[in-house]
Amino acid sequence: MQNKWIRWIILAALGVAVSGSLAFSGEMMSVRIKQGQLRSAPTFLGKILVTLQYRDRVSVLEQKGDWLHVSAHGGKFRGWIHKSALTEKKIELASGNETVGHTATTDEIALAGKGFNRQVEEEFKARNPNIRFDAIDRMEKLQVSQSDIIRFIKQGELSPQGGES
Amino acid sequence: MKSDRKAGIMRAIFRFMTVFFTIFLPLIWGCKTLNTITDIGTSVAVSTGVISETQGDAISKTTKAVAKTFEDITPEQEYYIGRTVGAMIMNRYKAYENSSVNRYVNVLGQTLAQASDMPETYGGYHFLVLDSSEINAFAAPGGLIFVTRGLLRCCKSEGAVAAVLAHEIGHVQHQHGLQAIDKSRLTTALTTIGTQAARVYGPKELSELTSHFEDAVSDVISTMVNSGYSRSFERQADQASVKILKNVGYSPQALVDMLNVMDQQLKPGGLDFAKTHPSPESRISDIKGQIGETDVSKRSAHRNKRFMAAMRNI
């Protein structure tokens, strides 16, 4: 009788342990920014391994502070990405004029290009032709590379711990 | 004797279980949200046949609905709102055509943004100096940050410029711009039209959506440029600034020094920063505790040199 109980308890403990670790390691997330970099270490100073695109799915391997170690492109790349670049939602491309099924809520799925999008911006421009979008386009073009930032930090004798915890 | 040993084994197993549940589980799930724990529980229940899949879905959804906060606005939509807010700011101000200072504030600004709590936004952070002697700065949703020549003239060191930019990054990170949008307007725009998965909107929907968009943008502009954020939002941005400065290695005292300079420069009742911000004196008293007394930052000759070079014609 007691033997049976012991077996059940051990099985239950193992079950919880296995389901816990699987749920943690297998969690899928989506890139929620235009472009996000996977890095070799959990810091922006880490080497960039690959650039992921908006909507790309990643599988979470582990978490360290605000950084997630993920696997991307079907396991081809593994690297670190800041949690603010990811969402738990699946981001789907809206297609045609179909409406989303009633079962999906905005908590689970976000639609790329939904609501205020480029088309709305174009319509806004047509209504307000004098608004200076050209200045914003120029502003967005000015790019700063990670090596510029690293040089700036080194030469200025700064000591960033940013984003690590 | 045999039963004693069995009792001993039982006790050991129970002790193991207690340790496992009290120490291991929180460690494994420590950084997960309530959602995930519910998901795990629900999926276990579904897989063991305790509840049906539909019931499981319903339980997960209810928990998520409760856990849901703030506006249901995607980073992509925030980006488009921010671009238009920025474009409208550029209707009121001219860009300062000086590539050396613009490059400098962009490299410095990106360095600071990476040390903030929200380093990644849909379109990234971008900085621009405005050709105006007003003492002012703006942060459009999503990370477009504007600072006037007048405000830069108040900065006596790189740390002071960093304090200003980090304060604006604080507004972006806390989404203060988006929070200025009338809630009912946003709900109408995002639920009525926004849930439709149309890739290309028809003329009627597009027209309606664009009107909501115009209203939303004008809410942000009117708060940012005319009335200003609440004192608590300004305090949040100042607190973010102090944290970012410390993270990067600047002395947070730079923010206090900057506010002191502004206190002397701003004219009470003026139309710029004075109109939209609490008095520098009250802001200093709000962040004093967070800064503390110590100032451990190193003074770097190179930092000063590059600051002087960038600000030569400011």
Side-chain angles (χ1 to χ4, degrees), chain A residues 101-131:
Chain A
H102 289 295
T103 48
T105 72
T106 48
D107 287 309
E108 296 149 349
I109 295 175
L111 293 168
K114 179 194 88 168
F116 302 152
N117 57 15
R118 178 152 308 274
Q119 198 193 359
V120 172
E121 184 182 297
E122 291 304 324
E123 176 68 12
F124 180 89
K125 277 182 197 166
R127 288 189 194 180
N128 308 276
N130 299 323
I131 305 284

PDB file of all heavy atoms in Angstrom, chain A residues 101-131:
ATOM      1  N   GLY A 101     -11.273  35.446 -36.432  1.00  0.00           N
ATOM      2  CA  GLY A 101     -12.275  34.601 -35.787  1.00  0.00           C
ATOM      3  C   GLY A 101     -12.570  35.084 -34.377  1.00  0.00           C
ATOM      4  O   GLY A 101     -11.746  35.746 -33.756  1.00  0.00           O
ATOM      5  N   HIS A 102     -13.745  34.739 -33.872  1.00  0.00           N
ATOM      6  CA  HIS A 102     -14.134  35.241 -32.551  1.00  0.00           C
ATOM      7  C   HIS A 102     -13.275  34.674 -31.434  1.00  0.00           C
ATOM      8  O   HIS A 102     -13.206  35.239 -30.358  1.00  0.00           O
ATOM      9  CB  HIS A 102     -15.606  34.903 -32.298  1.00  0.00           C
ATOM     10  CG  HIS A 102     -16.510  35.722 -33.162  1.00  0.00           C
ATOM     11  ND1 HIS A 102     -16.586  37.081 -33.030  1.00  0.00           N
ATOM     12  CD2 HIS A 102     -17.336  35.372 -34.177  1.00  0.00           C
ATOM     13  CE1 HIS A 102     -17.440  37.535 -33.949  1.00  0.00           C
ATOM     14  NE2 HIS A 102     -17.898  36.524 -34.660  1.00  0.00           N
ATOM     15  N   THR A 103     -12.629  33.533 -31.703  1.00  0.00           N
ATOM     16  CA  THR A 103     -11.858  32.901 -30.637  1.00  0.00           C
ATOM     17  C   THR A 103     -10.552  33.644 -30.363  1.00  0.00           C
ATOM     18  O   THR A 103     -10.016  33.566 -29.284  1.00  0.00           O
ATOM     19  CB  THR A 103     -11.520  31.445 -31.000  1.00  0.00           C
ATOM     20  OG1 THR A 103     -11.017  31.444 -32.330  1.00  0.00           O
ATOM     21  CG2 THR A 103     -12.748  30.566 -30.900  1.00  0.00           C
ATOM     22  N   ALA A 104     -10.038  34.347 -31.355  1.00  0.00           N
ATOM     23  CA  ALA A 104      -8.758  35.024 -31.142  1.00  0.00           C
ATOM     24  C   ALA A 104      -8.989  36.367 -30.460  1.00  0.00           C
ATOM     25  O   ALA A 104      -9.871  37.114 -30.853  1.00  0.00           O
ATOM     26  CB  ALA A 104      -8.066  35.242 -32.478  1.00  0.00           C
ATOM     27  N   THR A 105      -8.226  36.651 -29.438  1.00  0.00           N
ATOM     28  CA  THR A 105      -8.331  37.950 -28.801  1.00  0.00           C
ATOM     29  C   THR A 105      -7.041  38.712 -29.061  1.00  0.00           C
ATOM     30  O   THR A 105      -6.031  38.116 -29.438  1.00  0.00           O
ATOM     31  CB  THR A 105      -8.513  37.828 -27.275  1.00  0.00           C
ATOM     32  OG1 THR A 105      -7.268  37.411 -26.729  1.00  0.00           O
ATOM     33  CG2 THR A 105      -9.602  36.843 -26.921  1.00  0.00           C
ATOM     34  N   THR A 106      -7.082  40.010 -28.838  1.00  0.00           N
ATOM     35  CA  THR A 106      -5.875  40.809 -29.081  1.00  0.00           C
ATOM     36  C   THR A 106      -4.781  40.472 -28.070  1.00  0.00           C
ATOM     37  O   THR A 106      -3.662  40.931 -28.192  1.00  0.00           O
ATOM     38  CB  THR A 106      -6.194  42.311 -28.997  1.00  0.00           C
ATOM     39  OG1 THR A 106      -6.950  42.536 -27.820  1.00  0.00           O
ATOM     40  CG2 THR A 106      -6.959  42.774 -30.217  1.00  0.00           C
ATOM     41  N   ASP A 107      -5.130  39.679 -27.030  1.00  0.00           N
ATOM     42  CA  ASP A 107      -4.102  39.280 -26.070  1.00  0.00           C
ATOM     43  C   ASP A 107      -3.195  38.210 -26.651  1.00  0.00           C
ATOM     44  O   ASP A 107      -2.084  38.012 -26.214  1.00  0.00           O
ATOM     45  CB  ASP A 107      -4.754  38.729 -24.802  1.00  0.00           C
ATOM     46  CG  ASP A 107      -5.366  39.840 -23.996  1.00  0.00           C
ATOM     47  OD1 ASP A 107      -4.660  40.820 -23.747  1.00  0.00           O
ATOM     48  OD2 ASP A 107      -6.547  39.731 -23.639  1.00  0.00           O
ATOM     49  N   GLU A 108      -3.717  37.479 -27.636  1.00  0.00           N
ATOM     50  CA  GLU A 108      -2.946  36.356 -28.165  1.00  0.00           C
ATOM     51  C   GLU A 108      -2.334  36.665 -29.519  1.00  0.00           C
ATOM     52  O   GLU A 108      -1.269  36.191 -29.856  1.00  0.00           O
ATOM     53  CB  GLU A 108      -3.854  35.127 -28.302  1.00  0.00           C
ATOM     54  CG  GLU A 108      -4.366  34.642 -26.963  1.00  0.00           C
ATOM     55  CD  GLU A 108      -5.738  34.003 -27.073  1.00  0.00           C
ATOM     56  OE1 GLU A 108      -6.371  34.122 -28.135  1.00  0.00           O
ATOM     57  OE2 GLU A 108      -6.173  33.412 -26.085  1.00  0.00           O
ATOM     58  N   ILE A 109      -3.068  37.440 -30.300  1.00  0.00           N
ATOM     59  CA  ILE A 109      -2.619  37.711 -31.660  1.00  0.00           C
ATOM     60  C   ILE A 109      -2.670  39.208 -31.930  1.00  0.00           C
ATOM     61  O   ILE A 109      -3.651  39.867 -31.615  1.00  0.00           O
ATOM     62  CB  ILE A 109      -3.507  36.975 -32.691  1.00  0.00           C
ATOM     63  CG1 ILE A 109      -3.333  35.465 -32.529  1.00  0.00           C
ATOM     64  CG2 ILE A 109      -3.199  37.410 -34.105  1.00  0.00           C
ATOM     65  CD1 ILE A 109      -4.241  34.643 -33.391  1.00  0.00           C
ATOM     66  N   ALA A 110      -1.609  39.744 -32.481  1.00  0.00           N
ATOM     67  CA  ALA A 110      -1.642  41.131 -32.926  1.00  0.00           C
ATOM     68  C   ALA A 110      -1.558  41.082 -34.442  1.00  0.00           C
ATOM     69  O   ALA A 110      -0.892  40.215 -35.009  1.00  0.00           O
ATOM     70  CB  ALA A 110      -0.457  41.884 -32.356  1.00  0.00           C
ATOM     71  N   LEU A 111      -2.263  41.966 -35.102  1.00  0.00           N
ATOM     72  CA  LEU A 111      -2.216  41.951 -36.558  1.00  0.00           C
ATOM     73  C   LEU A 111      -1.240  43.009 -37.037  1.00  0.00           C
ATOM     74  O   LEU A 111      -1.348  44.171 -36.667  1.00  0.00           O
ATOM     75  CB  LEU A 111      -3.605  42.230 -37.125  1.00  0.00           C
ATOM     76  CG  LEU A 111      -4.619  41.125 -36.849  1.00  0.00           C
ATOM     77  CD1 LEU A 111      -6.013  41.602 -37.182  1.00  0.00           C
ATOM     78  CD2 LEU A 111      -4.274  39.890 -37.660  1.00  0.00           C
ATOM     79  N   ALA A 112      -0.296  42.566 -37.848  1.00  0.00           N
ATOM     80  CA  ALA A 112       0.646  43.527 -38.409  1.00  0.00           C
ATOM     81  C   ALA A 112      -0.136  44.455 -39.319  1.00  0.00           C
ATOM     82  O   ALA A 112      -1.019  44.015 -40.048  1.00  0.00           O
ATOM     83  CB  ALA A 112       1.712  42.782 -39.190  1.00  0.00           C
ATOM     84  N   GLY A 113       0.167  45.720 -39.267  1.00  0.00           N
ATOM     85  CA  GLY A 113      -0.486  46.668 -40.164  1.00  0.00           C
ATOM     86  C   GLY A 113      -1.913  46.997 -39.790  1.00  0.00           C
ATOM     87  O   GLY A 113      -2.639  47.602 -40.559  1.00  0.00           O
ATOM     88  N   LYS A 114      -2.335  46.588 -38.578  1.00  0.00           N
ATOM     89  CA  LYS A 114      -3.696  46.882 -38.142  1.00  0.00           C
ATOM     90  C   LYS A 114      -3.819  48.325 -37.661  1.00  0.00           C
ATOM     91  O   LYS A 114      -2.899  48.865 -37.087  1.00  0.00           O
ATOM     92  CB  LYS A 114      -4.050  45.928 -36.997  1.00  0.00           C
ATOM     93  CG  LYS A 114      -5.428  46.120 -36.426  1.00  0.00           C
ATOM     94  CD  LYS A 114      -5.573  45.380 -35.104  1.00  0.00           C
ATOM     95  CE  LYS A 114      -5.134  46.237 -33.931  1.00  0.00           C
ATOM     96  NZ  LYS A 114      -5.518  45.675 -32.638  1.00  0.00           N
ATOM     97  N   GLY A 115      -4.962  48.926 -37.864  1.00  0.00           N
ATOM     98  CA  GLY A 115      -5.226  50.246 -37.285  1.00  0.00           C
ATOM     99  C   GLY A 115      -4.384  51.339 -37.901  1.00  0.00           C
ATOM    100  O   GLY A 115      -4.347  51.502 -39.115  1.00  0.00           O
ATOM    101  N   PHE A 116      -3.675  52.098 -37.043  1.00  0.00           N
ATOM    102  CA  PHE A 116      -2.871  53.215 -37.546  1.00  0.00           C
ATOM    103  C   PHE A 116      -1.644  52.649 -38.259  1.00  0.00           C
ATOM    104  O   PHE A 116      -0.688  52.208 -37.638  1.00  0.00           O
ATOM    105  CB  PHE A 116      -2.440  54.115 -36.386  1.00  0.00           C
ATOM    106  CG  PHE A 116      -3.595  54.668 -35.591  1.00  0.00           C
ATOM    107  CD1 PHE A 116      -3.447  54.984 -34.253  1.00  0.00           C
ATOM    108  CD2 PHE A 116      -4.831  54.896 -36.184  1.00  0.00           C
ATOM    109  CE1 PHE A 116      -4.503  55.505 -33.515  1.00  0.00           C
ATOM    110  CE2 PHE A 116      -5.903  55.412 -35.464  1.00  0.00           C
ATOM    111  CZ  PHE A 116      -5.737  55.717 -34.124  1.00  0.00           C
ATOM    112  N   ASN A 117      -1.666  52.678 -39.567  1.00  0.00           N
ATOM    113  CA  ASN A 117      -0.584  52.055 -40.341  1.00  0.00           C
ATOM    114  C   ASN A 117      -0.110  53.011 -41.442  1.00  0.00           C
ATOM    115  O   ASN A 117      -0.480  54.190 -41.460  1.00  0.00           O
ATOM    116  CB  ASN A 117      -1.067  50.732 -40.950  1.00  0.00           C
ATOM    117  CG  ASN A 117      -2.294  50.926 -41.831  1.00  0.00           C
ATOM    118  OD1 ASN A 117      -2.629  52.052 -42.210  1.00  0.00           O
ATOM    119  ND2 ASN A 117      -2.960  49.848 -42.153  1.00  0.00           N
ATOM    120  N   ARG A 118       0.708  52.483 -42.357  1.00  0.00           N
ATOM    121  CA  ARG A 118       1.244  53.346 -43.413  1.00  0.00           C
ATOM    122  C   ARG A 118       0.131  53.926 -44.287  1.00  0.00           C
ATOM    123  O   ARG A 118       0.190  55.069 -44.701  1.00  0.00           O
ATOM    124  CB  ARG A 118       2.263  52.569 -44.277  1.00  0.00           C
ATOM    125  CG  ARG A 118       2.794  53.427 -45.408  1.00  0.00           C
ATOM    126  CD  ARG A 118       4.189  53.085 -45.900  1.00  0.00           C
ATOM    127  NE  ARG A 118       5.230  52.992 -44.911  1.00  0.00           N
ATOM    128  CZ  ARG A 118       5.957  54.026 -44.462  1.00  0.00           C
ATOM    129  NH1 ARG A 118       5.708  55.241 -44.889  1.00  0.00           N
ATOM    130  NH2 ARG A 118       6.913  53.839 -43.588  1.00  0.00           N
ATOM    131  N   GLN A 119      -0.903  53.119 -44.510  1.00  0.00           N
ATOM    132  CA  GLN A 119      -2.011  53.575 -45.342  1.00  0.00           C
ATOM    133  C   GLN A 119      -2.708  54.784 -44.685  1.00  0.00           C
ATOM    134  O   GLN A 119      -3.062  55.749 -45.370  1.00  0.00           O
ATOM    135  CB  GLN A 119      -3.015  52.427 -45.521  1.00  0.00           C
ATOM    136  CG  GLN A 119      -3.970  52.632 -46.683  1.00  0.00           C
ATOM    137  CD  GLN A 119      -5.136  51.647 -46.650  1.00  0.00           C
ATOM    138  OE1 GLN A 119      -5.233  50.788 -45.766  1.00  0.00           O
ATOM    139  NE2 GLN A 119      -6.035  51.786 -47.614  1.00  0.00           N
ATOM    140  N   VAL A 120      -2.855  54.719 -43.367  1.00  0.00           N
ATOM    141  CA  VAL A 120      -3.478  55.835 -42.642  1.00  0.00           C
ATOM    142  C   VAL A 120      -2.562  57.061 -42.702  1.00  0.00           C
ATOM    143  O   VAL A 120      -3.022  58.186 -42.884  1.00  0.00           O
ATOM    144  CB  VAL A 120      -3.790  55.419 -41.180  1.00  0.00           C
ATOM    145  CG1 VAL A 120      -4.257  56.610 -40.357  1.00  0.00           C
ATOM    146  CG2 VAL A 120      -4.835  54.324 -41.150  1.00  0.00           C
ATOM    147  N   GLU A 121      -1.251  56.818 -42.582  1.00  0.00           N
ATOM    148  CA  GLU A 121      -0.311  57.934 -42.679  1.00  0.00           C
ATOM    149  C   GLU A 121      -0.423  58.603 -44.053  1.00  0.00           C
ATOM    150  O   GLU A 121      -0.427  59.834 -44.160  1.00  0.00           O
ATOM    151  CB  GLU A 121       1.132  57.465 -42.435  1.00  0.00           C
ATOM    152  CG  GLU A 121       2.114  58.631 -42.431  1.00  0.00           C
ATOM    153  CD  GLU A 121       3.572  58.209 -42.243  1.00  0.00           C
ATOM    154  OE1 GLU A 121       3.896  57.651 -41.175  1.00  0.00           O
ATOM    155  OE2 GLU A 121       4.383  58.443 -43.163  1.00  0.00           O
ATOM    156  N   GLU A 122      -0.531  57.780 -45.106  1.00  0.00           N
ATOM    157  CA  GLU A 122      -0.662  58.332 -46.461  1.00  0.00           C
ATOM    158  C   GLU A 122      -1.940  59.159 -46.601  1.00  0.00           C
ATOM    159  O   GLU A 122      -1.932  60.233 -47.194  1.00  0.00           O
ATOM    160  CB  GLU A 122      -0.652  57.193 -47.512  1.00  0.00           C
ATOM    161  CG  GLU A 122       0.686  56.471 -47.661  1.00  0.00           C
ATOM    162  CD  GLU A 122       1.850  57.406 -47.987  1.00  0.00           C
ATOM    163  OE1 GLU A 122       1.650  58.379 -48.735  1.00  0.00           O
ATOM    164  OE2 GLU A 122       2.973  57.184 -47.460  1.00  0.00           O
ATOM    165  N   GLU A 123      -3.019  58.648 -46.019  1.00  0.00           N
ATOM    166  CA  GLU A 123      -4.296  59.364 -46.074  1.00  0.00           C
ATOM    167  C   GLU A 123      -4.182  60.681 -45.296  1.00  0.00           C
ATOM    168  O   GLU A 123      -4.685  61.726 -45.723  1.00  0.00           O
ATOM    169  CB  GLU A 123      -5.405  58.470 -45.497  1.00  0.00           C
ATOM    170  CG  GLU A 123      -6.784  59.106 -45.391  1.00  0.00           C
ATOM    171  CD  GLU A 123      -7.442  59.390 -46.745  1.00  0.00           C
ATOM    172  OE1 GLU A 123      -6.932  58.896 -47.766  1.00  0.00           O
ATOM    173  OE2 GLU A 123      -8.458  60.123 -46.776  1.00  0.00           O
ATOM    174  N   PHE A 124      -3.501  60.622 -44.164  1.00  0.00           N
ATOM    175  CA  PHE A 124      -3.279  61.827 -43.350  1.00  0.00           C
ATOM    176  C   PHE A 124      -2.481  62.860 -44.154  1.00  0.00           C
ATOM    177  O   PHE A 124      -2.791  64.046 -44.149  1.00  0.00           O
ATOM    178  CB  PHE A 124      -2.539  61.441 -42.061  1.00  0.00           C
ATOM    179  CG  PHE A 124      -2.257  62.604 -41.145  1.00  0.00           C
ATOM    180  CD1 PHE A 124      -3.164  62.993 -40.168  1.00  0.00           C
ATOM    181  CD2 PHE A 124      -1.073  63.332 -41.267  1.00  0.00           C
ATOM    182  CE1 PHE A 124      -2.901  64.071 -39.326  1.00  0.00           C
ATOM    183  CE2 PHE A 124      -0.800  64.408 -40.436  1.00  0.00           C
ATOM    184  CZ  PHE A 124      -1.725  64.778 -39.458  1.00  0.00           C
ATOM    185  N   LYS A 125      -1.446  62.366 -44.861  1.00  0.00           N
ATOM    186  CA  LYS A 125      -0.608  63.254 -45.692  1.00  0.00           C
ATOM    187  C   LYS A 125      -1.449  63.913 -46.781  1.00  0.00           C
ATOM    188  O   LYS A 125      -1.273  65.090 -47.084  1.00  0.00           O
ATOM    189  CB  LYS A 125       0.511  62.452 -46.368  1.00  0.00           C
ATOM    190  CG  LYS A 125       1.718  62.214 -45.502  1.00  0.00           C
ATOM    191  CD  LYS A 125       2.766  61.445 -46.317  1.00  0.00           C
ATOM    192  CE  LYS A 125       3.793  60.817 -45.429  1.00  0.00           C
ATOM    193  NZ  LYS A 125       4.600  59.818 -46.120  1.00  0.00           N
ATOM    194  N   ALA A 126      -2.348  63.120 -47.378  1.00  0.00           N
ATOM    195  CA  ALA A 126      -3.193  63.661 -48.451  1.00  0.00           C
ATOM    196  C   ALA A 126      -4.090  64.767 -47.900  1.00  0.00           C
ATOM    197  O   ALA A 126      -4.340  65.769 -48.576  1.00  0.00           O
ATOM    198  CB  ALA A 126      -4.023  62.546 -49.068  1.00  0.00           C
ATOM    199  N   ARG A 127      -4.565  64.586 -46.680  1.00  0.00           N
ATOM    200  CA  ARG A 127      -5.433  65.602 -46.075  1.00  0.00           C
ATOM    201  C   ARG A 127      -4.638  66.815 -45.593  1.00  0.00           C
ATOM    202  O   ARG A 127      -5.163  67.917 -45.506  1.00  0.00           O
ATOM    203  CB  ARG A 127      -6.160  65.017 -44.858  1.00  0.00           C
ATOM    204  CG  ARG A 127      -7.237  64.030 -45.187  1.00  0.00           C
ATOM    205  CD  ARG A 127      -7.997  63.710 -43.903  1.00  0.00           C
ATOM    206  NE  ARG A 127      -8.835  62.530 -44.069  1.00  0.00           N
ATOM    207  CZ  ARG A 127      -9.597  62.045 -43.111  1.00  0.00           C
ATOM    208  NH1 ARG A 127      -9.605  62.622 -41.912  1.00  0.00           N
ATOM    209  NH2 ARG A 127     -10.334  60.966 -43.319  1.00  0.00           N
ATOM    210  N   ASN A 128      -3.394  66.579 -45.175  1.00  0.00           N
ATOM    211  CA  ASN A 128      -2.563  67.655 -44.616  1.00  0.00           C
ATOM    212  C   ASN A 128      -1.235  67.715 -45.369  1.00  0.00           C
ATOM    213  O   ASN A 128      -0.193  67.297 -44.844  1.00  0.00           O
ATOM    214  CB  ASN A 128      -2.273  67.398 -43.125  1.00  0.00           C
ATOM    215  CG  ASN A 128      -3.530  67.132 -42.331  1.00  0.00           C
ATOM    216  OD1 ASN A 128      -4.209  68.051 -41.889  1.00  0.00           O
ATOM    217  ND2 ASN A 128      -3.856  65.856 -42.146  1.00  0.00           N
ATOM    218  N   PRO A 129      -1.261  68.203 -46.587  1.00  0.00           N
ATOM    219  CA  PRO A 129      -0.055  68.112 -47.438  1.00  0.00           C
ATOM    220  C   PRO A 129       1.142  68.918 -46.930  1.00  0.00           C
ATOM    221  O   PRO A 129       2.262  68.682 -47.368  1.00  0.00           O
ATOM    222  CB  PRO A 129      -0.542  68.642 -48.799  1.00  0.00           C
ATOM    223  CG  PRO A 129      -1.792  69.396 -48.513  1.00  0.00           C
ATOM    224  CD  PRO A 129      -2.390  68.826 -47.275  1.00  0.00           C
ATOM    225  N   ASN A 130       0.898  69.864 -46.018  1.00  0.00           N
ATOM    226  CA  ASN A 130       2.032  70.688 -45.579  1.00  0.00           C
ATOM    227  C   ASN A 130       2.794  70.144 -44.384  1.00  0.00           C
ATOM    228  O   ASN A 130       3.788  70.721 -43.963  1.00  0.00           O
ATOM    229  CB  ASN A 130       1.545  72.107 -45.257  1.00  0.00           C
ATOM    230  CG  ASN A 130       0.939  72.754 -46.486  1.00  0.00           C
ATOM    231  OD1 ASN A 130       1.425  72.555 -47.595  1.00  0.00           O
ATOM    232  ND2 ASN A 130      -0.149  73.490 -46.280  1.00  0.00           N
ATOM    233  N   ILE A 131       2.313  69.066 -43.806  1.00  0.00           N
ATOM    234  CA  ILE A 131       2.984  68.515 -42.623  1.00  0.00           C
ATOM    235  C   ILE A 131       4.327  67.925 -43.036  1.00  0.00           C
ATOM    236  O   ILE A 131       4.424  67.219 -44.031  1.00  0.00           O
ATOM    237  CB  ILE A 131       2.083  67.456 -41.920  1.00  0.00           C
ATOM    238  CG1 ILE A 131       0.710  68.057 -41.573  1.00  0.00           C
ATOM    239  CG2 ILE A 131       2.767  66.877 -40.705  1.00  0.00           C
ATOM    240  CD1 ILE A 131       0.669  68.973 -40.394  1.00  0.00           C
TER     241      ILE A 131
END
